[in-house]
Amino acid sequence: MRIGELAARAGTTTRTLRYYESRGLLPARRDDQGYRSYDERDLRLLQQIRTLQDFGFDLEETRPFVECLRAGHPEGDSCPASLVVYRRKLDELDALIGDLRAVREQVAGQLARAERARDALGAESLVPGGPEPRCELGGQER
Amino acid sequence: MRIGELAARAGTTTRTLRYYESRGLLPARRDDQGYRSYDERDLRLLQQIRTLQDFGFDLEETRPFVECLRAGHPEGDSCPASLVVYRRKLDELDALIGDLRAVREQVAGQLARAERARDALGAESLVPGGPEPRCELGGQER
DNA sequence: GTAAGGCTTGACGCCGACGTCAAGGCAACA
DNA sequence: TGTTGCCTTGACGTCGGCGTCAAGCCTTAC
């Protein structure tokens, strides 16, 4: 099969396949026209790469899985190097999720505080002294 | 104060300040030498930007906060446009955290499955028929 | 004959938030 | 007088994973 067919079957583009080849991740044989030639095993490798990419693995992190498959193992994660990547990715995800949750709480707190302040200002306008400067920028207050 | 001092006081770099100015986020006056000149209010604006950046807001998202402060409000989030950004960021964070948690579970599942398979293969080597292909690539098995 | 479609390599574009280098100006200090 | 240190503008580099031309070859269909 040629590059266009492989790309279509994997739901990706020819540009992506050439890029993978340029990175040494998915080398291709050539037919007598000089066209890249792939088989079902290449499709399998490509699917492995795409699955991991969907998980947010970057290209280098997929390499152990691809090499594992190419070495004849039944699954891309049948080799210890792949398990190492899994575990490192789990740690990264846990750290990232933790950071994001902390940020989320910070932002939620800021929002709550700002809304309280706004409501307090709203009450102030019902009181002698009158209101403070209105926002003249950005906010559509219809 | 000049650009170097402001950068140092805000814990950032002169390049960053020039970049913010190029984006129209933090314009500077000029002294008679043509040097950028800042005051304490600019430091306040800059701190607002940096805080939001630390939260993962991109530059454009900080703009309403900066304009709010510049309009004379006591806080960057004293304007409705800023609250809109807060809420949108919360939604984005929730979505992202949800996605990452789903990915985390997927990866954890894959790791568990792969480890079970490895252990099953280990047991197989204690049994007639002998073991299957070993990994010859990548993994340091000491 | 020629147009269409697939393939080739090469190379520049993109995004965001700057880093880094170049060439030069101004001021203070030894 | 020269050196140091701050400032100026301009412009190219970075990172990842491709997108998007450009120019040209090969084959098949009309």
Side-chain angles (χ1 to χ4, degrees):
Chain A
M1 127 184 64
R2 297 191 300 192
I3 194 170
E5 186 182 346
L6 178 60
R9 288 180 65 184
T12 183
T13 69
T14 61
R15 179 68 182 89
T16 296
L17 300 192
R18 292 196 196 94
Y19 177 65
Y20 291 171
E21 181 173 4
S22 80
R23 305 277 83 199
L25 204 59
L26 191 66
R29 278 116 280 161
R30 298 303 177 115
D31 67 15
D32 42 1
Q33 267 89 58
Y35 291 177
R36 290 175 179 80
S37 175
Y38 303 91
D39 58 22
E40 299 297 322
R41 281 185 73 247
D42 293 314
L43 176 58
R44 179 91 167 81
L45 299 186
L46 182 51
Q47 285 167 339
Q48 174 75 80
I49 297 171
R50 295 266 98 194
T51 299
L52 294 174
Q53 288 264 88
D54 289 346
F55 285 167
F57 288 54
D58 58 48
L59 262 194
E60 279 313 307
E61 289 176 323
T62 72
R63 196 180 293 275
F65 295 80
V66 174
E67 290 182 344
C68 187
L69 277 175
R70 199 178 281 122
H73 295 277
E75 305 290 337
D77 54 19
S78 299
C79 299
S82 305
L83 301 188
V84 169
V85 175
Y86 273 156
R87 292 193 196 97
R88 202 186 44 204
K89 184 56 66 175
L90 277 181
D91 288 346
E92 287 175 18
L93 283 167
D94 288 340
L96 180 56
I97 291 168
D99 290 350
L100 289 176
R101 284 161 57 104
V103 167
R104 199 227 109 94
E105 292 317 304
Q106 289 271 321
V107 173
Q110 291 293 308
L111 175 58
R113 187 195 44 66
E115 284 177 332
R116 280 197 307 274
R118 177 199 58 186
D119 295 346
L121 238 89
E124 180 187 301
S125 72
L126 305 174
V127 144
E132 274 309 292
R134 302 304 311 274
C135 297
E136 59 277 6
L137 292 163
Q140 322 81 311
E141 307 188 58
R142 44 176 180 86
Chain B
M1 128 185 61
R2 297 191 302 191
I3 194 170
E5 185 182 346
L6 178 59
R9 288 181 64 185
T12 182
T13 69
T14 61
R15 179 67 182 91
T16 295
L17 299 191
R18 291 197 196 94
Y19 177 64
Y20 291 171
E21 181 173 6
S22 80
R23 305 278 83 198
L25 204 57
L26 192 66
R29 278 116 280 159
R30 299 302 176 117
D31 67 15
D32 42 0
Q33 266 89 56
Y35 291 177
R36 290 175 178 81
S37 175
Y38 302 91
D39 58 22
E40 299 297 322
R41 283 185 72 246
D42 293 313
L43 176 58
R44 178 91 167 81
L45 300 184
L46 181 51
Q47 285 167 338
Q48 174 75 80
I49 297 171
R50 294 265 98 194
T51 300
L52 295 173
Q53 288 264 87
D54 289 346
F55 285 167
F57 288 55
D58 58 47
L59 262 195
E60 279 312 308
E61 289 175 324
T62 73
R63 196 179 294 274
F65 295 80
V66 175
E67 290 183 343
C68 188
L69 277 176
R70 199 178 283 121
H73 295 277
E75 306 289 337
D77 52 20
S78 299
C79 299
S82 305
L83 302 187
V84 169
V85 175
Y86 273 157
R87 294 194 195 97
R88 201 185 45 199
K89 185 55 66 174
L90 276 181
D91 289 347
E92 286 175 20
L93 283 167
D94 288 340
L96 181 54
I97 291 169
D99 289 351
L100 289 176
R101 285 161 57 103
V103 166
R104 200 225 109 95
E105 292 317 303
Q106 289 269 322
V107 174
Q110 291 292 308
L111 174 58
R113 187 194 44 65
E115 285 178 331
R116 279 199 307 275
R118 178 200 57 186
D119 294 346
L121 237 89
E124 181 187 301
S125 72
L126 305 173
V127 144
E132 274 308 294
R134 301 305 311 273
C135 299
E136 60 275 7
L137 294 163
Q140 324 80 312
E141 306 188 58
R142 43 172 182 88

